[in-house]
Amino acid sequence: MTYLPVVSSRPEPVRVALIGAGWMGAFHARSLATRISAASLVAIADPAIETAQSLAAELGVARVTADAADLFADPQIDAVVIAGPARFHAALSIDAVRAGKHVFCEKPGALDLDEFARVDQAVAEAGVHWQIGFNRRYAADFLAARRDIAAGAVGTPQLLHSLTRDPGTGRIPNAGRVPQGTIFLETLIHDFDALNWFNSGAEPVSVHVTADALVEPSFKDAGFLDTAVVTIRYSNGAIAVAEANFSALYGYDVRGEVFGSAGMVQAGRATETAAVRYGAAGLSADTPRLNIELFAGAYTDELADFADHVRARRDGTASPEHGVPLTPGLDDARRALAVARACIQSVETGLPAAVSRSEARA
């Protein structure tokens, strides 16, 4: 018997390399290797080479290096996922796009607006796709809420609320080593993007912050903050509140709400499912304890969207459509970072601070 030849119409997967094999990088690696058909994980880079080798062995990845420059020089790599520490995001993005690689970068993308402007310019010159990891947009309930807002379900937004309460034990290990501004640049930045996304068409104008070290008060004098409430005024008059705390004993809690002239929409819940137990001791429900539990699908879907955009550019096909603006890019990253930087200024002065309106590169 002779087998018949088969010509596949399935597009070639995007060949992706991972930079940073830590907690979030490892989850992204597993998604790229096992859960996203449009992508193929072909290399891993991390200065902690044993960590990279262990992850590569688990996933059957043949190429491992301690130096991300090896990935940029490899013509067989189409794109990179940057999941290393925030202080390296901008430099890695610039080096990657100058090498012609498409980039998915975890938040914040840069630590200040001048640094981000250099990323923006490098991407423009390279003409590649650059996407940031604002995964909350891909969570089913947040996306459903955004579609309701676009359909007019809440009318004109007037009051908005977004919160992030990280799971904890009442203590924060290594609190003294947490970089100053982390609560704004790496935690609340997700809330800032969600609020900007929900209040589409309006610009954040000013912020006023109340923040403290309530979980680890002994580190406050060193500039550490673990609790914050941010009030944001928007150009359309809407008022938003974003809040965060680093130690919720009951689990990982992320929620959003938009109240407007015609109604209200909410997204997220503190419980893992809608199931509630009724017993002699009262009511109880399971709660998520990890980000990769609460947002497992969203983390996967954002990378699938990234791969689809890269493949569309490579193959000259139409970019994916989602019905509402979804894929977070350079301008979304800049706007959220501008809010975070204004928050840091407000903490330093104790006064409201203006949000930078410097436009993204034209």
Side-chain angles (χ1 to χ4, degrees):
M1 176 180 177
T2 303
Y3 289 109
L4 298 176
V6 176
V7 178
S8 175
S9 60
R10 183 177 178 178
E12 287 294 318
V14 175
R15 296 164 298 188
V16 184
L18 173 73
I19 302 173
W23 173 262
M24 198 64 249
F27 187 86
H28 286 327
R30 294 181 183 107
S31 292
L32 292 165
T34 65
R35 294 187 281 266
I36 300 172
S37 61
S40 174
L41 180 65
V42 298
I44 298 173
D46 196 304
I49 193 64
E50 291 183 358
T51 300
Q53 287 176 318
S54 176
L55 183 62
E58 172 194 335
L59 299 175
V61 176
R63 282 174 276 182
V64 180
T65 178
D67 189 350
D70 293 334
L71 308 182
F72 305 147
D74 189 341
Q76 297 302 310
I77 292 172
D78 301 314
V80 296
V81 169
I82 298 172
R87 65 185 182 276
F88 300 126
H89 287 183
L92 287 169
S93 278
I94 290 170
D95 289 346
V97 301
R98 285 177 176 169
K101 310 303 183 189
H102 304 280
V103 172
F104 178 95
C105 185
E106 271 299 340
K107 46 70 185 170
L111 293 180
D112 61 54
L113 292 170
D114 289 340
E115 191 177 56
F116 189 79
R118 294 191 286 274
V119 175
D120 187 35
Q121 187 61 40
V123 173
E125 292 171 356
V128 298
H129 179 68
W130 188 95
Q131 185 172 326
I132 192 163
F134 287 147
N135 60 290
R136 208 163 296 187
R137 294 183 177 212
Y138 295 84
D141 48 353
F142 278 81
L143 182 53
R146 180 63 180 84
R147 286 174 171 148
D148 284 344
I149 294 166
V154 303
T156 302
Q158 297 171 344
L159 296 171
L160 301 93
H161 187 203
S162 184
L163 66 84
T164 300
R165 296 172 186 163
D166 289 339
T169 62
R171 296 301 307 273
I172 301 172
N174 303 314
R177 292 163 50 187
V178 176
Q180 290 188 18
T182 291
I183 196 167
F184 305 112
L185 291 167
E186 299 192 49
T187 299
L188 278 163
I189 199 161
H190 280 296
D191 299 87
F192 302 152
D193 176 67
L195 293 168
N196 290 342
W197 186 50
F198 282 158
N199 197 18
S200 179
E203 290 294 326
V205 174
S206 66
V207 304
H208 195 188
V209 179
T210 301
D212 209 331
L214 301 181
V215 183
E216 293 287 357
S218 62
F219 291 97
K220 182 179 180 180
D221 289 344
F224 174 73
L225 298 171
D226 53 44
T227 307
V229 177
V230 180
T231 302
I232 308 171
R233 292 301 305 264
Y234 279 89
S235 58
N236 64 349
I239 302 169
V241 174
E243 63 165 272
N245 182 280
F246 283 169
S247 187
L249 271 64
Y250 59 87
Y252 191 32
D253 187 1
V254 173
R255 287 174 276 152
E257 176 180 291
V258 181
F259 170 89
S261 59
M264 180 180 72
V265 64
Q266 295 178 322
R269 62 182 174 219
T271 60
E272 197 168 66
T273 71
V276 178
R277 302 182 194 93
Y278 293 73
L283 308 183
S284 66
D286 293 328
T287 57
R289 299 284 164 164
L290 300 172
N291 57 343
I292 59 174
E293 293 175 349
L294 181 61
F295 288 120
Y299 283 131
T300 301
D301 289 346
E302 66 180 351
L303 282 184
D305 187 38
F306 171 70
D308 287 342
H309 277 279
V310 172
R311 194 159 63 176
R313 288 194 178 216
R314 183 195 66 190
D315 300 344
T317 57
S319 296
E321 291 288 339
H322 304 284
V324 295
L326 178 63
T327 309
L330 289 160
D331 193 48
D332 301 301
R334 182 195 60 79
R335 292 170 75 235
L337 180 60
V339 176
R341 294 306 313 183
C343 288
I344 293 170
Q345 180 183 343
S346 179
V347 168
E348 292 171 347
T349 64
L351 300 170
V355 177
S356 173
R357 294 295 300 276
S358 59
E359 297 298 325
R361 174 201 43 79

